[in-house]
Every structure is written in C-alpha cells, then in structure tokens.
Amino acid sequence: MHLLMVTPNLPHQGGGANTRNYHLLKVLTSLHTVSLLALVDRSELANTSAITQLEQLTHTLKIVERLPAVQSKRRQQLIRVLRGQSYTLQVNMLEEMQEALDTLLENSTYDAVLFESVLIAGYHLPANIPMIIDQHNLEYEILERTYQLGKSKLRRWYNQRESQILKPIEIERCSKADIVLVTSEREQQILQSLLPQQLIVTVPNGVDTEMFQQRGNREEVSGRIVFTGAMNYYPNVNAVLFFAEHCWPLIQARVSDATWQIVGREPPAEVSALARLPGVQVTGSVPDVRPYLTEAAVTLAPLQIGSGTRLKILEALAMGKAMVSTSTGCEGIAVVPGKHLLIADQPETFASTVVELLNDPTKRHELGTTGRKLVETQYSWTQCSDRLLQQLEHLKERPRVC
C-alpha cells in the first residue's frame, strides 16, 4: 500500500507523541510505502538528524513550519474561547498544511491517510480516500480532568469551556474516519459508547525494548528519584508541582540523602524554580533519558491528569526500574499493582511508598525484573503495531470507490 501519514510534530525518539509517531511510521515503512506530511515548530527544524532519518524512511517527506505566534498563548486561548472556537484545534489548522496536502494528493495516489491525532484531522480529503485517525489521547478528557483539578478560577473556566467546544468536534471527526485507533481498552470503551457504529481499534503505546534496557557501567545512585516527561505538557507540570509540594518534603525528612531529578524539555518557570529546593535538579532538555533512568533507584509517575497511556512508565519498566505511580498515571497499561509497580494516590501514601522502595533493594529488583518481562511480552512496538497492520490488510481488501 501507499500510505500518507500526517503529524502535528516531527516524529523521532524524543518522547511523547513524537515517539509513537516515529515507531508506527517505522513499522509501516517495513511493509508499505509511506509518505509523511509533518507540521512542526521552528525549534524542531534544528533536529537535522531526525529529519535525515525521516528522509531515509519515507517515500516523500514534506515539512510545514508552524510559525511563532505574534500574541501570547494565554491571549490566543482567551480570544479563541470567547469566540466559541477551540485554541487546541486552531493551532494545528494552517492554510499551508491544506495546500501541502492537496499537492501531495494531486501528485500521488494513496490507499489511506493516517492522521496522528484528532487535532490535525480537520483537513479536507477527497471522499474516496480512506481516513484513519490515531487518538493518542481523548483530548477532551484531558481538558475535563484539568478543569476538575484546577485551582485558578480562570484556568478552570477556560479548560471547562475548551473541553465543551472541543468534545463535539473531536467526536464528529472520529465519526467520519474509516478506522479510529486508541491506545487502551479503556479509551476504546469510552469512545465506542459515544460512537457505537464506529470501528475503533486499540493499538497500545509501546517501547523500544532493545534501546531501553540496562547496559553499560552506570550504576544505580542511592536515594535517587527520577521523573521523566516533557515539561511543555501541562499534566507533567502539574505532576511535578504536586509531588514537590506534597511528597518531596516528607521523603526528605525520612531519607536524608534523597535526590530528585526532573528530566524533560522546556520546563516553565514554576518547574525551573524547583531546582532551588534541596536535593532537586531540573535538567531541561537532555539528549538521552536512559542515563538518568539507569541511575534511578525509584522512578515516578505522580500524574493527576491524563488520557491515553504513559510512555514514561513503559520506558522505566523496560529499564528494569522500580516505579511508583498514581492510578491515573498507569491507567490503560496492563500492570498488576505490587507485581510490576506500586500505586499510591494520596500524597502521604505516595511519599511513604517511595521511601519504602528506597530502603528495600530486594523489592526494587523484584519490581524491575517483572516490569521488564511485562514490556518484553506485551509492549514492544512490533507487538503493539500488529493490530494496525491487520486493519490495513482489511482496508486493502475493501473495494475502492472512484
């Protein structure tokens, strides 16, 4: 088949949605001819090694730059929501993208177009081209949960209104797709209840089990706690601020040599300020998270907000690391509490669970071993992509409408 993938970012192994897009693209190119249309921020254009890799993987690569906004993000959000428009959708809708898409469709015949995120699935396609939407998250759900947990009245109002605007559009776009992909059975059930007639298929997030594994001479650092995740993503920001306020003081009081590393790109000012706390390091962007995971005694996922499934958990488990997560943090992943990781939702319980693990190397080893086995048996990207490949085979067998 000749497929066209459309992404709202540059696919590469840098974490988050970029990683899922890259690995799905890599699997697809092993069996099919794939072209890529990517909408990217200016900062992503500097990643020349990723661009070169994509040029080698794809049949055609077209990149459209998302120009920097002339107004602040907060001002744009307020203007859009007052107009009854979704800022989350508008930032991914550019005339240049539609023009690039039209040009690709004029010059080649595609058997299907795969939109990586419903947020970028609003572009026009000819009626005879099958459309697949890969729902990395239920986007309206993240906004709903952000609203429910928000402290600022303005933030709560904005997220509630943005969710109300976005949800019907998200559902409508999914209803028009030939296939909708989601990352967990939980989301499949939620979306299926809203779209009973739609074909919705679970394609889990995965991990590169060859890349993420313990090797080399680095050793675990006593008392080291690590959180990984992009710091330009609000659920991650919220998670580390929650942990810093409610858990970190309790841990330090009981483990004097405890240190905490916050590893992720573009930390906002409130996260950068956490580096002033004793024992805390905020790294910002790093070329590779694996050295930090290798040195971790305990890894964290104290998320209060989320949808989809968290790559940070799969990567930590693949590295054989003990993990403490909230229920929300590990939602949608086939983990057994106490066997693959530990779950705690209340601040005091979360802190004491981390302390118990820091003081129990045997338990850390047991969790690390079973966590690694879980990702080996269920969460390699090859295994996770099987359902997508199966659906493409079914799609290929359908009669084509001209």
Side-chain angles (χ1 to χ4, degrees), residues 30-50:
S30 68
L31 294 173
H32 303 287
T33 300
V34 186
S35 294
L36 174 65
L37 171 59
L39 175 62
V40 306
D41 293 327
R42 181 166 294 177
S43 59
E44 293 180 281
L45 294 174
N47 194 343
T48 55
S49 61

PDB file of all heavy atoms in Angstrom, residues 30-50:
ATOM      1  N   SER A  30       8.245  -0.704   6.963  1.00  0.00           N
ATOM      2  CA  SER A  30       8.849  -2.021   6.756  1.00  0.00           C
ATOM      3  C   SER A  30       8.014  -2.884   5.815  1.00  0.00           C
ATOM      4  O   SER A  30       8.527  -3.844   5.243  1.00  0.00           O
ATOM      5  CB  SER A  30       9.022  -2.734   8.099  1.00  0.00           C
ATOM      6  OG  SER A  30       7.764  -3.073   8.666  1.00  0.00           O
ATOM      7  N   LEU A  31       6.732  -2.535   5.638  1.00  0.00           N
ATOM      8  CA  LEU A  31       5.844  -3.328   4.799  1.00  0.00           C
ATOM      9  C   LEU A  31       5.165  -2.536   3.677  1.00  0.00           C
ATOM     10  O   LEU A  31       4.661  -3.122   2.730  1.00  0.00           O
ATOM     11  CB  LEU A  31       4.752  -3.976   5.669  1.00  0.00           C
ATOM     12  CG  LEU A  31       5.211  -5.020   6.682  1.00  0.00           C
ATOM     13  CD1 LEU A  31       4.053  -5.426   7.578  1.00  0.00           C
ATOM     14  CD2 LEU A  31       5.787  -6.240   5.973  1.00  0.00           C
ATOM     15  N   HIS A  32       5.120  -1.225   3.827  1.00  0.00           N
ATOM     16  CA  HIS A  32       4.391  -0.394   2.879  1.00  0.00           C
ATOM     17  C   HIS A  32       5.239   0.799   2.457  1.00  0.00           C
ATOM     18  O   HIS A  32       6.253   1.118   3.076  1.00  0.00           O
ATOM     19  CB  HIS A  32       3.086   0.109   3.513  1.00  0.00           C
ATOM     20  CG  HIS A  32       2.190  -0.991   3.996  1.00  0.00           C
ATOM     21  ND1 HIS A  32       1.473  -1.794   3.146  1.00  0.00           N
ATOM     22  CD2 HIS A  32       1.903  -1.425   5.261  1.00  0.00           C
ATOM     23  CE1 HIS A  32       0.774  -2.671   3.844  1.00  0.00           C
ATOM     24  NE2 HIS A  32       1.026  -2.472   5.135  1.00  0.00           N
ATOM     25  N   THR A  33       4.795   1.485   1.419  1.00  0.00           N
ATOM     26  CA  THR A  33       5.403   2.745   1.005  1.00  0.00           C
ATOM     27  C   THR A  33       4.681   3.864   1.744  1.00  0.00           C
ATOM     28  O   THR A  33       3.451   3.974   1.659  1.00  0.00           O
ATOM     29  CB  THR A  33       5.266   2.950  -0.508  1.00  0.00           C
ATOM     30  OG1 THR A  33       5.910   1.875  -1.182  1.00  0.00           O
ATOM     31  CG2 THR A  33       5.883   4.267  -0.944  1.00  0.00           C
ATOM     32  N   VAL A  34       5.427   4.688   2.472  1.00  0.00           N
ATOM     33  CA  VAL A  34       4.800   5.700   3.326  1.00  0.00           C
ATOM     34  C   VAL A  34       5.398   7.068   3.035  1.00  0.00           C
ATOM     35  O   VAL A  34       6.623   7.233   3.030  1.00  0.00           O
ATOM     36  CB  VAL A  34       4.974   5.368   4.820  1.00  0.00           C
ATOM     37  CG1 VAL A  34       4.176   6.353   5.674  1.00  0.00           C
ATOM     38  CG2 VAL A  34       4.537   3.936   5.117  1.00  0.00           C
ATOM     39  N   SER A  35       4.521   8.044   2.809  1.00  0.00           N
ATOM     40  CA  SER A  35       4.931   9.440   2.721  1.00  0.00           C
ATOM     41  C   SER A  35       4.511  10.145   4.004  1.00  0.00           C
ATOM     42  O   SER A  35       3.582   9.699   4.697  1.00  0.00           O
ATOM     43  CB  SER A  35       4.288  10.116   1.507  1.00  0.00           C
ATOM     44  OG  SER A  35       4.785   9.542   0.308  1.00  0.00           O
ATOM     45  N   LEU A  36       5.192  11.229   4.317  1.00  0.00           N
ATOM     46  CA  LEU A  36       4.944  11.925   5.586  1.00  0.00           C
ATOM     47  C   LEU A  36       4.771  13.415   5.341  1.00  0.00           C
ATOM     48  O   LEU A  36       5.595  14.048   4.671  1.00  0.00           O
ATOM     49  CB  LEU A  36       6.113  11.697   6.547  1.00  0.00           C
ATOM     50  CG  LEU A  36       6.085  12.483   7.870  1.00  0.00           C
ATOM     51  CD1 LEU A  36       4.908  12.053   8.741  1.00  0.00           C
ATOM     52  CD2 LEU A  36       7.403  12.309   8.637  1.00  0.00           C
ATOM     53  N   LEU A  37       3.703  13.966   5.906  1.00  0.00           N
ATOM     54  CA  LEU A  37       3.474  15.412   5.956  1.00  0.00           C
ATOM     55  C   LEU A  37       3.469  15.805   7.425  1.00  0.00           C
ATOM     56  O   LEU A  37       2.614  15.352   8.194  1.00  0.00           O
ATOM     57  CB  LEU A  37       2.147  15.769   5.297  1.00  0.00           C
ATOM     58  CG  LEU A  37       1.667  17.214   5.448  1.00  0.00           C
ATOM     59  CD1 LEU A  37       2.678  18.205   4.867  1.00  0.00           C
ATOM     60  CD2 LEU A  37       0.280  17.392   4.806  1.00  0.00           C
ATOM     61  N   ALA A  38       4.436  16.633   7.833  1.00  0.00           N
ATOM     62  CA  ALA A  38       4.599  16.976   9.247  1.00  0.00           C
ATOM     63  C   ALA A  38       4.495  18.482   9.458  1.00  0.00           C
ATOM     64  O   ALA A  38       5.135  19.263   8.753  1.00  0.00           O
ATOM     65  CB  ALA A  38       5.947  16.480   9.759  1.00  0.00           C
ATOM     66  N   LEU A  39       3.675  18.871  10.425  1.00  0.00           N
ATOM     67  CA  LEU A  39       3.588  20.263  10.871  1.00  0.00           C
ATOM     68  C   LEU A  39       4.480  20.400  12.091  1.00  0.00           C
ATOM     69  O   LEU A  39       4.260  19.728  13.106  1.00  0.00           O
ATOM     70  CB  LEU A  39       2.136  20.606  11.214  1.00  0.00           C
ATOM     71  CG  LEU A  39       1.869  21.995  11.804  1.00  0.00           C
ATOM     72  CD1 LEU A  39       2.268  23.092  10.826  1.00  0.00           C
ATOM     73  CD2 LEU A  39       0.393  22.133  12.187  1.00  0.00           C
ATOM     74  N   VAL A  40       5.497  21.251  11.999  1.00  0.00           N
ATOM     75  CA  VAL A  40       6.499  21.285  13.073  1.00  0.00           C
ATOM     76  C   VAL A  40       6.752  22.703  13.552  1.00  0.00           C
ATOM     77  O   VAL A  40       6.578  23.679  12.810  1.00  0.00           O
ATOM     78  CB  VAL A  40       7.841  20.655  12.612  1.00  0.00           C
ATOM     79  CG1 VAL A  40       7.628  19.255  12.063  1.00  0.00           C
ATOM     80  CG2 VAL A  40       8.541  21.521  11.586  1.00  0.00           C
ATOM     81  N   ASP A  41       7.152  22.819  14.808  1.00  0.00           N
ATOM     82  CA  ASP A  41       7.593  24.103  15.344  1.00  0.00           C
ATOM     83  C   ASP A  41       8.992  24.418  14.818  1.00  0.00           C
ATOM     84  O   ASP A  41       9.745  23.521  14.447  1.00  0.00           O
ATOM     85  CB  ASP A  41       7.618  24.062  16.870  1.00  0.00           C
ATOM     86  CG  ASP A  41       6.218  23.929  17.460  1.00  0.00           C
ATOM     87  OD1 ASP A  41       5.266  24.465  16.860  1.00  0.00           O
ATOM     88  OD2 ASP A  41       6.079  23.270  18.509  1.00  0.00           O
ATOM     89  N   ARG A  42       9.325  25.689  14.834  1.00  0.00           N
ATOM     90  CA  ARG A  42      10.642  26.107  14.323  1.00  0.00           C
ATOM     91  C   ARG A  42      11.778  25.408  15.054  1.00  0.00           C
ATOM     92  O   ARG A  42      12.786  25.032  14.450  1.00  0.00           O
ATOM     93  CB  ARG A  42      10.784  27.625  14.452  1.00  0.00           C
ATOM     94  CG  ARG A  42      12.100  28.186  13.942  1.00  0.00           C
ATOM     95  CD  ARG A  42      12.045  29.692  13.787  1.00  0.00           C
ATOM     96  NE  ARG A  42      11.104  30.077  12.732  1.00  0.00           N
ATOM     97  CZ  ARG A  42      10.819  31.348  12.433  1.00  0.00           C
ATOM     98  NH1 ARG A  42      11.381  32.336  13.116  1.00  0.00           N
ATOM     99  NH2 ARG A  42       9.976  31.626  11.460  1.00  0.00           N
ATOM    100  N   SER A  43      11.625  25.197  16.360  1.00  0.00           N
ATOM    101  CA  SER A  43      12.688  24.548  17.135  1.00  0.00           C
ATOM    102  C   SER A  43      12.958  23.122  16.651  1.00  0.00           C
ATOM    103  O   SER A  43      14.084  22.635  16.743  1.00  0.00           O
ATOM    104  CB  SER A  43      12.315  24.523  18.612  1.00  0.00           C
ATOM    105  OG  SER A  43      11.094  23.815  18.815  1.00  0.00           O
ATOM    106  N   GLU A  44      11.929  22.458  16.101  1.00  0.00           N
ATOM    107  CA  GLU A  44      12.100  21.084  15.632  1.00  0.00           C
ATOM    108  C   GLU A  44      12.929  21.018  14.356  1.00  0.00           C
ATOM    109  O   GLU A  44      13.524  19.979  14.050  1.00  0.00           O
ATOM    110  CB  GLU A  44      10.740  20.431  15.399  1.00  0.00           C
ATOM    111  CG  GLU A  44       9.918  20.214  16.656  1.00  0.00           C
ATOM    112  CD  GLU A  44       8.590  19.555  16.361  1.00  0.00           C
ATOM    113  OE1 GLU A  44       7.657  20.254  15.919  1.00  0.00           O
ATOM    114  OE2 GLU A  44       8.479  18.334  16.564  1.00  0.00           O
ATOM    115  N   LEU A  45      12.964  22.109  13.605  1.00  0.00           N
ATOM    116  CA  LEU A  45      13.725  22.120  12.364  1.00  0.00           C
ATOM    117  C   LEU A  45      15.223  21.974  12.607  1.00  0.00           C
ATOM    118  O   LEU A  45      15.973  21.583  11.710  1.00  0.00           O
ATOM    119  CB  LEU A  45      13.449  23.410  11.583  1.00  0.00           C
ATOM    120  CG  LEU A  45      12.019  23.586  11.057  1.00  0.00           C
ATOM    121  CD1 LEU A  45      11.846  24.953  10.432  1.00  0.00           C
ATOM    122  CD2 LEU A  45      11.688  22.485  10.056  1.00  0.00           C
ATOM    123  N   ALA A  46      15.644  22.283  13.835  1.00  0.00           N
ATOM    124  CA  ALA A  46      17.066  22.158  14.177  1.00  0.00           C
ATOM    125  C   ALA A  46      17.481  20.700  14.375  1.00  0.00           C
ATOM    126  O   ALA A  46      18.681  20.400  14.416  1.00  0.00           O
ATOM    127  CB  ALA A  46      17.367  22.955  15.443  1.00  0.00           C
ATOM    128  N   ASN A  47      16.506  19.808  14.463  1.00  0.00           N
ATOM    129  CA  ASN A  47      16.800  18.385  14.671  1.00  0.00           C
ATOM    130  C   ASN A  47      17.104  17.739  13.318  1.00  0.00           C
ATOM    131  O   ASN A  47      16.328  16.947  12.779  1.00  0.00           O
ATOM    132  CB  ASN A  47      15.624  17.696  15.359  1.00  0.00           C
ATOM    133  CG  ASN A  47      15.980  16.327  15.907  1.00  0.00           C
ATOM    134  OD1 ASN A  47      16.991  15.734  15.521  1.00  0.00           O
ATOM    135  ND2 ASN A  47      15.165  15.815  16.805  1.00  0.00           N
ATOM    136  N   THR A  48      18.263  18.078  12.773  1.00  0.00           N
ATOM    137  CA  THR A  48      18.618  17.626  11.421  1.00  0.00           C
ATOM    138  C   THR A  48      18.819  16.123  11.333  1.00  0.00           C
ATOM    139  O   THR A  48      18.534  15.511  10.302  1.00  0.00           O
ATOM    140  CB  THR A  48      19.891  18.344  10.943  1.00  0.00           C
ATOM    141  OG1 THR A  48      20.934  18.145  11.910  1.00  0.00           O
ATOM    142  CG2 THR A  48      19.638  19.837  10.782  1.00  0.00           C
ATOM    143  N   SER A  49      19.276  15.500  12.425  1.00  0.00           N
ATOM    144  CA  SER A  49      19.479  14.046  12.386  1.00  0.00           C
ATOM    145  C   SER A  49      18.141  13.324  12.258  1.00  0.00           C
ATOM    146  O   SER A  49      18.025  12.335  11.518  1.00  0.00           O
ATOM    147  CB  SER A  49      20.221  13.575  13.639  1.00  0.00           C
ATOM    148  OG  SER A  49      19.479  13.870  14.809  1.00  0.00           O
ATOM    149  N   ALA A  50      17.111  13.823  12.965  1.00  0.00           N
ATOM    150  CA  ALA A  50      15.782  13.210  12.857  1.00  0.00           C
ATOM    151  C   ALA A  50      15.212  13.415  11.464  1.00  0.00           C
ATOM    152  O   ALA A  50      14.603  12.504  10.891  1.00  0.00           O
ATOM    153  CB  ALA A  50      14.846  13.803  13.905  1.00  0.00           C
TER     154      ALA A  50
END
